[in-house]
Amino acid sequence: MTKPVTSAELDQRSKLHEVFALPQGRALDICLKLQKAILEHRLSPGLKLSEDEVGEIYGASRTVVRASLQALAHSGLVSMEKNRGAFVAKPSIREAHEVFQARALIEPAVARLAAAVITDRQLAQLHAHLDAEHAALHASDMGKALFLSGNFHTEIADIADHRIFAGMIRSLISRSSLIIALYWKRSDTACESHSHHALMNAFEKRDSAAAESIQKSHIIDLHSGLDLKEKPAGGTSLSEALQG
Amino acid sequence: MTKPVTSAELDQRSKLHEVFALPQGRALDICLKLQKAILEHRLSPGLKLSEDEVGEIYGASRTVVRASLQALAHSGLVSMEKNRGAFVAKPSIREAHEVFQARALIEPAVARLAAAVITDRQLAQLHAHLDAEHAALHASDMGKALFLSGNFHTEIADIADHRIFAGMIRSLISRSSLIIALYWKRSDTACESHSHHALMNAFEKRDSAAAESIQKSHIIDLHSGLDLKEKPAGGTSLSEALQG
DNA sequence: TGAATAAAAATTGTATACGATCTCTGATTG
DNA sequence: CAATCAGAGATCGTATACAATTTTTATTCA
């Protein structure tokens, strides 16, 4: 009894295929499944992704698994070390800063574009998305909520209909998910919803300037919700260095 | 009698490895060689890159060639079609616009960052780079001149020391090279040098604002140097459609 | 006991083989 | 003569096998 593929999943699949130069055929499926698992925090940063093991799970040979892992490495979700294999990426504090700096530059510009061209249909879709996010949050399914929260941003990029920016944002959102898994310090995860709703308001009014400004604040707010202070060099540095 | 690897090449290699998640081992070499060939316009957009052929040339098996081509596909230099193979990418007019819109947003911000932290040593390096560019231009080696001209931009990203932006810019510059190959309309290719020298001036004064503004103008100027008008639907559309 | 070493196991890197798909050529037919 | 179709050849997608490297384990010696 296989779960039928939903239209939303098909949609995402075709979009991803357009935007990224993802592998084709079976490798794409594995890619998406691994990606989803990582983005929902079912696979923790640093976890080893053995080729044999992944192949076993998805019933594929190492050849296609390798292609998938390579693709994920390019989008920043996986890091590959020569002769050692693939691991769920573990962004450094520095990379975390860089990712949110990049998002703070790009996403507001894209939100501005999106506000100028959004259709009623797309507005409704975004609304439905927020509802789903709310439902997941209410069901305490944090993994799914986070996944959907990220998707909200990529959907805006798709609405702006700018493939280059959309590809960049997709990669940045993916990395952000890992960064949040590692460095999130706030307890009120629900705070996102507020910003997202404010953004919806701006979209409904087709107010480009407001959308840009709200999105910028939102990203900066997310950035400030991370605990990105370098640990003091004394305490953990030795043990860290030895087990690293 | 093998040509020794220059320090500049080694440098680029290690940098690329950091920034992109490039394949490792032999695949990396093939990647860089193909990339260089494409960026110097020795391989034209649309050209087929047969796996067997490439493997023959570089003395590698299809396995590593495939990994290389996949990597290049991820950076936008190569497009892969299922069951048909890999081709040197042929950016559409739309993609050309998008690439330069992205550059116009990102590169000025990065130039600003770079101006704030550039060292004297790096200034000297950039000067040397401009000299090499000038020399290539004087020797009518357009391929090399264009390659170097692109590298100037990635070097600025490296100076800004922002890996995420640097990776984005590298990809954008690569695509730009293809776009220029397809759509450049100006005869005075040397115009770039002027902007680059102006930028150097700003860097020497550590004038962030000027660097940002000059870079923005430079990108917009490049964008306007392209012939990106859609061809009228009547004339060439049929023949184009048939031979496409 | 603990460190150093060497052999064994596991994992990745690469080559090759085979099946699937596409492309091209040439014959056939209206 | 043009268009269609069939088959051969070429090319890609995937699985598997072997080589190279790393990791683990067992052993030895101080």
Side-chain angles (χ1 to χ4, degrees):
Chain A
M1 181 159 170
T2 317
K3 194 187 79 176
V5 180
T6 71
S7 70
E9 279 170 336
L10 272 177
D11 222 43
Q12 190 194 15
R13 186 182 160 123
S14 64
K15 262 177 204 151
L16 271 172
H17 183 276
E18 274 178 21
V19 171
F20 276 118
L22 278 174
Q24 287 145 346
R26 217 133 25 112
L28 182 57
D29 287 319
I30 296 175
C31 236
L32 293 176
K33 278 174 185 156
L34 279 175
Q35 181 175 17
K36 200 166 180 230
I38 296 173
L39 262 40
E40 288 181 353
H41 292 184
R42 300 201 309 273
L43 301 174
S44 307
L47 185 74
K48 166 125 206 224
L49 299 170
S50 151
E51 295 178 358
D52 278 324
E53 206 172 336
V54 175
E56 187 80 22
I57 290 166
Y58 295 119
S61 79
R62 281 180 53 216
T63 308
V64 301
V65 173
R66 270 178 85 80
S68 303
L69 291 174
Q70 231 189 286
L72 289 173
H74 281 291
S75 70
L77 273 178
V78 158
S79 73
M80 302 188 75
E81 295 173 35
K82 172 157 168 143
N83 283 319
R84 288 190 19 90
F87 305 82
V88 178
K90 211 170 168 178
S92 65
I93 289 176
R94 174 188 170 163
E95 187 179 340
H97 281 299
E98 291 188 356
V99 163
F100 279 89
Q101 281 163 16
R103 290 185 62 178
L105 178 69
I106 296 171
E107 292 206 48
V110 170
R112 167 183 279 274
L113 288 177
V117 301
I118 194 167
T119 66
D120 288 338
R121 201 172 130 63
Q122 288 169 327
L123 271 172
Q125 223 169 319
L126 277 186
H127 266 301
H129 191 108
L130 283 192
D131 288 346
E133 200 181 323
H134 186 72
L137 217 69
H138 195 265
S140 296
D141 188 346
M142 284 308 170
K144 185 152 196 167
L146 242 149
F147 178 71
L148 289 171
S149 167
N151 274 7
F152 185 77
H153 288 252
T154 64
E155 273 184 43
I156 290 169
D158 287 333
I159 289 167
D161 201 26
H162 195 295
R163 293 183 196 180
I164 299 281
F165 280 142
M168 290 175 175
I169 288 176
R170 242 176 259 277
S171 179
L172 291 171
I173 296 290
S174 292
R175 291 172 203 248
S176 293
S177 173
L178 292 173
I179 290 164
I180 287 169
L182 285 168
Y183 303 114
W184 190 250
K185 71 177 175 201
R186 268 190 219 150
S187 46
D188 59 332
T189 328
C191 66
E192 292 224 21
S193 292
H194 174 63
S195 294
H196 286 184
H197 279 289
L199 203 52
M200 283 297 304
N201 257 342
F203 283 149
E204 267 157 13
K205 291 190 237 154
R206 268 78 177 177
D207 187 339
S208 291
E212 178 173 2
S213 141
I214 290 167
Q215 186 71 306
K216 178 136 197 170
S217 304
H218 177 41
I219 308 283
I220 289 171
D221 187 48
L222 282 176
H223 193 166
S224 74
L226 300 170
D227 180 19
L228 296 178
K229 286 183 283 296
E230 294 284 355
K231 306 248 167 63
T236 51
S237 74
L238 184 70
S239 56
E240 284 257 345
L242 292 180
Q243 76 184 265
Chain B
M1 181 161 170
T2 318
K3 194 187 82 174
V5 179
T6 70
S7 70
E9 279 170 336
L10 272 177
D11 223 42
Q12 190 195 12
R13 185 181 162 123
S14 63
K15 264 177 204 149
L16 272 172
H17 184 276
E18 275 179 22
V19 171
F20 276 119
L22 278 174
Q24 289 145 346
R26 218 136 21 116
L28 181 58
D29 287 319
I30 296 175
C31 235
L32 293 176
K33 277 174 185 155
L34 279 175
Q35 179 175 19
K36 201 168 179 225
I38 296 173
L39 263 41
E40 287 181 354
H41 293 186
R42 299 200 310 272
L43 300 174
S44 308
L47 184 74
K48 167 122 205 227
L49 298 170
S50 153
E51 296 178 356
D52 279 325
E53 205 172 337
V54 174
E56 188 80 22
I57 290 166
Y58 294 120
S61 80
R62 281 180 56 218
T63 309
V64 304
V65 172
R66 268 179 85 79
S68 302
L69 292 174
Q70 246 189 274
L72 289 172
H74 282 291
S75 72
L77 274 178
V78 159
S79 74
M80 301 189 75
E81 295 174 36
K82 172 155 169 143
N83 282 321
R84 291 194 11 94
F87 304 82
V88 178
K90 211 170 168 177
S92 66
I93 288 176
R94 174 189 171 163
E95 187 180 339
H97 280 299
E98 290 188 356
V99 164
F100 278 89
Q101 281 163 17
R103 289 185 62 178
L105 178 69
I106 297 170
E107 292 204 50
V110 170
R112 168 184 278 275
L113 287 177
V117 299
I118 194 168
T119 66
D120 288 337
R121 200 171 130 61
Q122 288 169 326
L123 272 173
Q125 224 168 316
L126 278 186
H127 265 301
H129 191 108
L130 283 191
D131 289 345
E133 200 180 324
H134 186 72
L137 218 69
H138 195 265
S140 296
D141 189 344
M142 284 308 170
K144 184 151 196 168
L146 243 148
F147 178 71
L148 289 172
S149 167
N151 272 8
F152 186 77
H153 288 250
T154 64
E155 273 185 44
I156 290 169
D158 287 332
I159 289 167
D161 201 26
H162 195 294
R163 294 183 196 181
I164 300 282
F165 281 142
M168 291 176 174
I169 288 176
R170 242 177 259 276
S171 179
L172 291 171
I173 296 291
S174 293
R175 291 172 203 250
S176 294
S177 173
L178 292 174
I179 290 164
I180 287 170
L182 286 168
Y183 303 113
W184 190 250
K185 71 176 176 200
R186 269 192 217 147
S187 46
D188 58 333
T189 328
C191 65
E192 290 224 23
S193 291
H194 174 62
S195 294
H196 286 185
H197 278 291
L199 204 52
M200 283 298 304
N201 257 342
F203 282 150
E204 266 156 14
K205 292 190 235 152
R206 268 76 178 179
D207 187 340
S208 290
E212 178 172 4
S213 143
I214 290 168
Q215 186 71 308
K216 178 136 197 173
S217 305
H218 177 41
I219 308 282
I220 290 171
D221 187 49
L222 283 175
H223 192 168
S224 73
L226 300 171
D227 180 19
L228 295 179
K229 286 181 285 292
E230 294 284 355
K231 305 246 168 65
T236 50
S237 74
L238 184 70
S239 57
E240 284 257 345
L242 292 179
Q243 76 183 267

